Amino acid sequence: MGLITNGVFDRNPKLKLILGHLGERIPYDLWRTNHWLEDVERPLADSRGDTISRKPLLHYFKNNIYITTSGHFSTETVKYVCDYIGADRILFSVDSPYEKVEAGAGWYDKDQENLTKALGGPQQYLDVGRENAKKLFKLGKYHDSDA
């Protein structure tokens, strides 16, 4: 949050950050945190001439921040984050060595129908599974890149 509130993304709008564990619980407190920032912190900072972020927190989550599924193999939780921030900001991830690849990939494959609905459709399911990461990391063709 310090990167956001201290204006790092305002000064470097192309900078990208990846948060694990479905956003480290930040998406669930985003409204309250933004409310506090807008109504208390920003007016105080402006009155003192301090640097503070200029846009609502959600702007940075939709433009600078990606969120991974690492360690959170819950379709309901993914749906919440997707509805709030968007499928284009979510990356499939496992959190190895703390979670087993088989557990994460098993969840993603076995719950494909529900995840597809939660994410907004078949393209979003593929995007979260691999295409968002390929785009973010500018990955070209590689073995099984279209599997």
Side-chain angles (χ1 to χ4, degrees):
M1 293 298 291
L3 292 172
I4 295 172
T5 59
N6 289 308
V8 171
F9 293 115
D10 293 327
R11 292 188 302 276
N12 304 283
K14 293 183 179 180
L15 183 65
K16 303 299 181 207
L17 175 71
I18 299 172
L19 290 178
H21 312 115
L22 282 176
E24 304 293 353
R25 305 211 185 316
I26 295 171
Y28 314 101
D29 287 327
L30 204 54
W31 182 90
R32 184 167 192 237
T33 305
N34 189 69
H35 164 69
W36 187 259
L37 180 67
E38 295 291 329
D39 295 342
V40 177
E41 294 296 326
R42 184 166 290 122
L44 284 174
D46 289 345
S47 73
R48 295 186 306 245
D50 292 343
T51 299
I52 195 163
S53 58
R54 300 313 317 164
K55 297 173 182 146
L57 291 178
L58 191 55
H59 168 84
Y60 303 103
F61 275 83
K62 290 189 173 203
N63 291 279
N64 302 95
I65 297 172
Y66 287 83
I67 293 176
T68 75
T69 63
S70 59
H72 283 268
F73 310 137
S74 163
T75 302
E76 294 80 10
T77 309
V78 168
K79 181 179 183 344
Y80 175 83
V81 173
C82 179
D83 288 347
Y84 202 24
I85 296 172
D88 62 322
R89 308 314 291 182
I90 302 173
L91 308 169
F92 172 76
S93 178
V94 173
D95 200 21
S96 179
Y98 305 105
E99 298 291 342
K100 294 184 186 272
V101 172
E102 295 82 8
W107 159 71
Y108 205 77
D109 292 341
K110 289 176 186 164
D111 206 19
Q112 179 177 356
E113 183 178 342
N114 292 322
L115 276 164
T116 298
K117 290 177 189 172
L119 293 168
Q123 184 58 55
Q124 289 82 356
Y125 176 82
L126 290 174
D127 290 347
V128 169
R130 70 167 180 242
E131 299 303 320
N132 291 343
K134 286 168 58 177
K135 181 179 173 186
L136 174 63
F137 296 116
K138 298 177 177 64
L139 300 175
K141 289 291 238 178
Y142 57 89
H143 179 71
D144 288 340
S145 65
D146 295 321

